Amino acid sequence: GIHSWNYEDEDTKGVFRWGDQYPECDGLNQSPIDIETARVQVNRDLTVEIGGLDETHETWIRNNGHTAQLGLLDSPKPNLTGTAVNGKLYEFAQLHFHWGEKSDRGSEHSVDSVFYPAEMHMVFYRKQYGDIETAVKYKDGLAVVGVFLQNSKTNNPNYDPLIYAVRQAPDYKAKSFLPSEITLRQLLPRNTQKFYRYSGSLTTPPCDEIVTWILLADPVEIGEQQLEVFRHERTNYVSMRSGSNRIDHNYRYQAPINRRIVESSFN
Ligand code: B30
Ligand code: ZN
């Protein structure tokens, strides 16, 4: 396959051995982490401004073998700036999801050790670097907005077009279009001004330590049936543990915070 790493517990390419092939995965500023709220430093000057949230886009989704990844066909793309990224300008690249086998786990980050069933990552790259492949070579290359997905009793209709497209293309490398145009606002919680910020890494190999993490405090609700659609995505290998080729979980284990400080825009 195109990836020489996976989320297996016991595999030389598995999540505990990523550092063998990708040394940065053993670094001191890795993601994800647990946000210990008692240690968070409130910084009321922190802002995030996401532009273009209300524009509708023609949108595709692709199973890349480790997640369902969404991209926008049309430009201009949404952008991100604010004091949380020192006023620099970032452009939307893609968004994707991490989830668990069951709804007691699945998010990569946690708050006071509380995990959610899934987490969405809206990935932005610093525009002056031209493209994401170049941007990942720089310390300020990416800003990723992390959004917790919380279980609700009913499906979230705002997520229906996306979930429909994921269901249409469950196979490894399959791609499908959303049945209707969507806005990124549809996928976010109402309040995007309450967030945590810290410096970390890509949560997948090569684990580059180039990400300004912006984790929204408020979750978005998603139904259990909608979560099940993610869990039925297929990859290109059979898991030793489950004996199936479903991407039944795709979260990384957490890293220690080490010398880093997490700030919050609220208290
Ligand atoms: S995350 O938000 O920290 N999970 C990348 C971006 C964000 C995160 C992780 C990785 C990224 O840009 N990776 C390089 C591109 N990928 C993406 C892909 O299409 O297939 C290639 C890769 O990882 O090797 Cu999978
Ligand atoms: Zn991610």
Side-chain angles (χ1 to χ4, degrees):
I2 53 167
H3 293 109
S4 51
W5 54 268
N6 61 50
Y7 288 99
E8 298 277 287
D9 280 347
E10 298 176 49
D11 186 306
T12 55
K13 293 174 175 178
V15 63
F16 293 114
R17 301 281 299 271
W18 288 353
D20 297 6
Q21 285 185 81
Y22 305 98
E24 272 217 75
C25 297
D26 292 330
L28 296 175
N29 301 292
Q30 290 290 294
S31 296
I33 60 168
D34 177 47
I35 307 285
E36 253 186 275
T37 55
R39 293 182 175 218
V40 165
Q41 290 188 3
V42 177
N43 177 354
R44 291 209 170 270
D45 294 328
L46 282 182
T47 62
V48 163
E49 295 153 38
I50 310 179
L53 277 183
D54 295 305
E55 307 292 323
T56 56
H57 294 278
E58 238 189 295
T59 309
W60 52 263
I61 195 140
R62 193 174 83 105
N63 171 344
N64 65 17
H66 53 94
T67 187
Q69 185 166 307
L70 178 151
L72 305 178
L73 270 179
D74 31 20
S75 292
K77 312 278 193 241
N79 58 61
L80 180 150
T81 189
T83 63
V85 290
N86 302 316
K88 295 163 191 171
L89 181 64
Y90 288 75
E91 177 148 301
F92 178 81
Q94 46 105 340
L95 68 82
H96 62 266
F97 297 85
H98 300 265
W99 58 84
E101 286 162 79
K102 292 189 275 103
S103 289
D104 60 344
R105 263 223 73 168
S107 63
E108 297 209 294
H109 291 90
S110 55
V111 177
D112 293 332
S113 300
V114 174
F115 290 87
Y116 291 84
E119 185 172 325
M120 174 174 66
H121 290 158
M122 255 182 207
V123 181
F124 296 80
Y125 67 93
R126 192 171 176 196
K127 193 168 183 175
Q128 76 170 54
Y129 298 137
D131 56 53
I132 189 165
E133 291 78 16
T134 309
V136 295
K137 297 175 181 143
Y138 295 88
K139 276 211 301 279
D140 58 359
L142 296 195
V144 181
V145 178
V147 181
F148 293 119
L149 273 57
Q150 165 176 272
N151 262 103
S152 58
K153 290 213 171 65
T154 56
N155 287 344
N156 179 342
N158 289 333
Y159 270 72
D160 277 343
L162 186 159
I163 297 291
Y164 176 90
V166 174
R167 191 188 276 116
Q168 291 307 300
D171 292 329
Y172 174 56
K173 283 192 173 173
K175 188 171 174 176
S176 65
F177 290 90
L178 272 61
S180 56
E181 298 204 324
I182 62 157
T183 68
L184 290 194
R185 169 117 37 217
Q186 269 174 261
L187 305 178
L188 289 169
R190 198 161 297 145
N191 186 344
T192 55
Q193 291 312 306
K194 281 169 65 184
F195 59 87
Y196 302 101
R197 178 188 73 166
Y198 79 97
S199 294
S201 74
L202 301 180
T203 66
T204 61
C207 308
D208 302 294
E209 295 181 340
I210 50 118
V211 180
T212 301
W213 277 98
I214 295 161
L215 280 173
L216 302 189
D218 289 351
V220 162
E221 295 202 327
I222 188 166
E224 186 65 22
Q225 288 175 324
Q226 293 178 312
L227 285 165
E228 274 296 314
V229 174
F230 288 117
R231 297 179 185 127
H232 282 78
E233 291 261 276
R234 287 189 278 269
T235 188
N236 60 334
Y237 68 93
V238 173
S239 159
M240 283 186 289
R241 189 154 59 97
S242 69
S244 109
N245 66 350
R246 277 161 50 167
I247 309 175
D248 58 11
H249 68 284
N250 61 359
Y251 56 85
R252 186 187 190 185
Y253 294 96
Q254 292 186 331
I257 189 161
N258 297 324
R259 307 175 73 96
R260 292 174 288 178
I261 304 280
V262 179
E263 291 176 284
S264 69
S265 65
F266 64 99
N267 69 19

